Amino acid sequence: MKIVIQKFGGTSVSTEERRLLVLEKILDAKKNGYSPVVVVSAMGRKGDPYATDTLLSLLDKHFKESNLQATDLLMSCGEIISTVVMSNELNKRCIDSVPLLGGQSGIITDNNFGKASVINVDTKKLLPILNEKKIPVVAGFQGITEDGYITTLGRGGSDVTACILGSALNANKIEIYTDVDGIMTADPRIVKNASLIKEISYNEVFELAYQGAKVIHPRAVEIAAKSNIPLVVKNTLNHCSGTIINKDGNEKYNSVITGIANMNNRVQINVSLADNDGNSNYFNILNTLGENKISIDLINVFPNKKIFTINKNQFIPFSIMMKNLNIKYSYEDNCSKIALIGNGIKDVPGVMATILKTLTKEGIEILQTADSNTTIWCLVKTPSSVAAINALHRDFNLENKYNCIKD
Ligand code: ASP
Ligand code: MG
């Protein structure tokens, strides 16, 4: 049996018109010889009657914080509504389907309500349905504890449901349908000529997600990567072929950089030994930050100074902590961390040189850099970040790379 998991996001199932497009995607999969397992999110976005955020707005803050189990029960309702409504659409076309709760599809989780981890998937629940040529329509974002309580898997968790089921059923592919064509070389709101990425590796998507690009849940990518199942991000609203996420990504195209992402609201901190002479707290500063849950990155440690960045929203707790430890520091507010991501970086010399040349030509000051096997990060002042990203996007030939191939 060739199995495809087809996950439809909230905007894809939000109106009857869109649900008809969803139906077409399911019928196409059947026509191509696949047995589809459909996973749905709650309908629409905040403000729409059954969207997760709307449901959450029915509860007060105190209740939500102290009744996680009950909050999960409410949050799970959006997906439950979607699954029955989608089953109704299939029924209109005389297609047999079985709407299911996450738990009924076999997803067992721990009892970490609000962010539960899947501990087991019992495929005995779905296989007989597929064998009878019926389509399971599973409520995404939820599972059940061993003692029968409904849990949710963390916000955006329907992607996780799709990949968990794909992996348990050893699916041929997992399709994530949304309202954009796929993963882009850069945020199209920043780079006018951003183009669709045709193929990208699990690793690169992980880096993009870490950098704040909201395309797919990173946990979902991790699960698909472990089972080496290709993931395809596609648009419900057209016939574009989308972005394929797999092990090798775009290796065969010989490109160095696959995509550029950007994270604003960084503050660069500089703590020097000279300013803190005689203060033993200076030597433990990175540990102390960790213990106080202030996350830092772009960390450069020199014999006489430490430079790193923090998120702007942690600056006040950071400054209070520094005051208590009597540590002096200087800082650069309003920075952006640009990440150039590409598996090709490790094989090609001179990538950093190209970045420096490009940014210097544009008159953009680089405050700090760091690199790994797949990513080079540059810290710049936020007002120059748009120009920086556009120049890098142009000089690494990412413009208009691929057309949207119709399948
Ligand atoms: N409806 C859930 C959320 O908004 C899960 C999802 O959409 O993936 O987080
Ligand atoms: Mg989502």
Side-chain angles (χ1 to χ4, degrees):
M1 185 165 20
K2 275 199 328 184
I3 295 177
V4 60
I5 312 291
Q6 296 186 296
K7 180 258 166 175
F8 297 94
T11 52
S12 300
V13 291
S14 58
T15 63
E16 194 175 351
E17 199 186 348
R18 289 184 174 201
R19 288 192 293 272
L20 286 180
L21 299 173
V22 168
L23 200 61
E24 296 305 326
K25 305 292 180 196
I26 300 173
L27 291 175
D28 279 352
K30 268 176 83 78
K31 238 183 268 156
N32 291 325
Y34 285 99
S35 299
V37 173
V38 173
V39 174
V40 286
S41 288
M43 294 178 342
R45 293 210 170 109
K46 191 173 186 164
D48 293 325
Y50 314 114
T52 311
D53 284 306
T54 313
L55 299 174
L56 271 175
S57 71
L58 299 171
L59 303 179
D60 66 52
K61 192 165 175 277
H62 173 73
F63 184 90
K64 277 189 282 202
E65 282 166 6
S66 48
N67 294 278
L68 297 179
Q69 185 179 310
T71 304
D72 264 9
L73 194 55
L74 179 69
M75 272 208 286
S76 69
C77 294
E79 273 70 14
I80 300 175
I81 294 170
S82 286
T83 189
V84 184
V85 171
M86 207 50 234
S87 185
N88 185 171
E89 299 293 353
L90 287 159
N91 187 264
K92 285 186 205 161
R93 294 279 195 101
C94 300
I95 299 163
D96 276 338
S97 65
V98 183
L100 296 164
L101 301 173
Q104 290 170 329
S105 78
I107 298 176
I108 313 293
T109 72
D110 60 18
N111 60 2
N112 186 11
F113 293 97
K115 217 178 174 162
S117 295
V118 177
I119 50 177
N120 187 27
V121 183
D122 182 3
T123 53
K124 283 197 294 295
K125 310 260 185 182
L126 286 177
L127 285 173
I129 299 173
L130 291 170
N131 282 331
E132 284 175 30
K133 304 254 175 283
K134 291 182 182 163
I135 299 183
V137 184
V138 181
F141 175 54
Q142 55 174 264
I144 198 162
T145 61
E146 274 165 328
D147 46 2
Y149 291 94
I150 290 188
T151 51
T152 64
L153 309 178
R155 297 306 305 271
S158 299
D159 292 347
V160 176
T161 305
C163 291
I164 279 284
L165 293 179
S167 155
L169 293 166
N170 199 16
N172 293 61
K173 59 176 173 174
I174 302 162
E175 296 178 334
I176 305 287
Y177 284 93
T178 174
D179 55 359
V180 295
D181 287 346
I183 303 175
M184 307 292 284
T185 49
D187 184 338
R189 289 167 302 185
I190 297 177
V191 180
K192 210 172 86 255
N193 294 331
S195 56
L196 184 69
I197 298 172
K198 196 173 167 208
E199 284 186 62
I200 184 167
S201 68
Y202 299 117
N203 258 341
E204 291 166 313
V205 177
F206 218 71
E207 291 284 357
L208 278 173
Y210 178 70
Q211 183 75 16
K214 284 197 197 101
V215 267
I216 181 166
H217 199 299
R219 237 161 94 206
V221 180
E222 197 180 13
I223 296 162
K226 259 194 200 139
S227 307
N228 200 13
I229 301 175
L231 266 167
V232 193
V233 180
K234 297 179 103 172
N235 196 337
T236 310
L237 309 177
N238 63 29
H239 287 91
C240 178
S241 55
T243 300
I244 301 171
I245 310 170
N246 56 24
K247 192 163 143 280
D248 297 329
N250 60 2
E251 231 166 51
K252 55 183 174 290
Y253 307 105
N254 286 327
S255 52
V256 183
I257 302 297
T258 309
I260 302 178
N262 180 36
M263 194 187 268
N264 290 333
N265 295 321
R266 304 305 299 173
V267 183
Q268 187 192 40
I269 312 283
N270 188 334
V271 197
S272 75
L273 183 58
D275 287 344
N276 293 284
D277 208 12
N279 183 349
S280 62
N281 290 331
Y282 169 83
F283 299 99
N284 286 326
I285 178 171
L286 298 187
N287 281 343
T288 322
L289 287 169
E291 283 158 14
N292 286 279
K293 301 218 174 341
I294 294 182
S295 61
I296 57 176
D297 68 0
L298 289 184
I299 308 152
N300 291 148
V301 178
F302 303 95
N304 56 355
K305 65 179 169 189
K306 296 177 169 104
I307 301 178
F308 52 87
T309 70
I310 60 172
N311 192 294
K312 203 185 176 96
N313 65 15
Q314 292 199 299
F315 188 67
I316 291 175
F318 170 83
S319 53
I320 294 170
M321 216 184 101
M322 292 300 109
K323 200 165 176 225
N324 292 340
L325 298 171
N326 198 23
I327 287 181
K328 311 229 168 4
Y329 59 93
S330 59
Y331 68 95
E332 190 74 53
D333 199 2
N334 222 3
C335 297
S336 294
K337 189 176 78 164
I338 298 173
L340 293 97
I341 293 157
N343 276 348
I345 288 175
K346 61 181 180 308
D347 308 317
V348 181
V351 181
M352 186 66 101
T354 308
I355 295 173
L356 295 183
K357 201 169 132 204
T358 296
L359 296 183
T360 310
K361 200 172 63 197
E362 298 288 322
I364 295 166
E365 189 190 7
I366 304 172
L367 301 172
Q368 206 179 333
T369 64
D371 64 284
S372 76
N373 255 350
T374 52
T375 306
I376 295 181
W377 295 271
C378 299
L379 193 71
V380 300
K381 296 285 285 173
T382 299
S384 58
S385 64
V386 170
I389 296 165
N390 274 282
L392 292 165
H393 193 270
R394 181 195 62 221
D395 286 3
F396 280 99
N397 301 318
L398 295 173
E399 291 178 358
N400 302 324
K401 228 176 165 168
Y402 306 111
N403 292 319
C404 186
I405 303 156
K406 313 276 179 228
D407 57 7

